[in-house]
Amino acid sequence: FSVAEREQMILAAFSPEQQQRIRFGALVDVYDDVKWTKAVKQAVADIVSDPAKKIGLIGHFKDQSSYYLALFPEWPLVELENFYYLSATPIREKYLAGELPDSSTVPESTIQFLRNFQRTVHYQQLQQLYRQQA
């Protein structure tokens, strides 16, 4: 999804008051931890100009893919348990197989976004790639 689509999807899950507190920093996919870490720190610095503001990470060590949480030792980490044992991978796989997730796994606003996205050429192309790899 584009940066704008992701922002729209995330914001739609929150109340207007909560939305006022949410900030986004768009990053380009970089498959180099040193470069990616530097880009994240720069994006945060661009958003948080007041050095007195607290910066921290909130996350869950699921498996080896969660290693990035340790790449920012200067920021305190609030480690959480797995939220209702949810994982994006099976949700994504079902979606690419043609199933919409239900409201027990994603917000209703996300379901609506995904329903609309299913009508696009981009979804059809992703679905075709997914089927070829399966």
Side-chain angles (χ1 to χ4, degrees):
F1 303 117
S2 71
V3 171
E5 289 169 329
R6 291 173 194 217
E7 287 181 15
Q8 171 192 350
M9 198 177 342
I10 292 166
L11 288 173
F14 293 92
S15 71
E17 295 80 24
Q18 292 169 322
Q19 290 176 10
Q20 297 301 313
R21 298 179 57 210
I22 298 172
R23 300 291 178 265
F24 296 91
L27 298 174
V28 176
D29 285 337
V30 177
Y31 297 98
D32 176 312
D33 288 343
V34 173
K35 289 179 181 177
W36 181 77
T37 302
K38 184 178 178 182
V40 169
K41 290 177 183 180
Q42 184 59 56
V44 170
D46 291 345
I47 294 168
V48 183
S49 57
D50 181 357
K53 295 273 186 180
K54 286 187 186 178
I55 298 170
L57 298 173
I58 299 173
H60 168 69
F61 285 99
K62 178 180 80 166
D63 55 27
Q64 70 273 12
S65 70
S66 306
Y67 77 94
Y68 68 90
L69 291 170
L71 295 178
F72 306 93
E74 66 274 30
W75 297 337
L77 171 65
V78 176
E79 188 175 353
L80 302 176
E81 293 296 318
N82 187 325
F83 187 74
Y84 293 106
Y85 301 100
L86 291 176
S87 173
T89 302
I91 295 169
R92 183 174 37 255
E93 288 173 348
K94 286 181 180 180
Y95 179 63
L96 291 173
E99 275 184 60
L100 283 169
D102 62 53
S103 58
S104 69
T105 57
V106 300
E108 191 61 45
S109 56
T110 300
I111 295 169
Q112 185 59 46
F113 178 92
L114 294 173
R115 183 178 291 119
N116 292 338
F117 188 74
Q118 278 182 321
R119 299 182 190 116
T120 68
V121 170
H122 295 293
Y123 175 79
Q124 303 305 319
Q125 292 169 339
L126 287 171
Q127 193 175 45
Q128 184 178 6
L129 285 171
Y130 174 75
R131 289 179 175 155
Q132 289 172 355
Q133 293 175 0

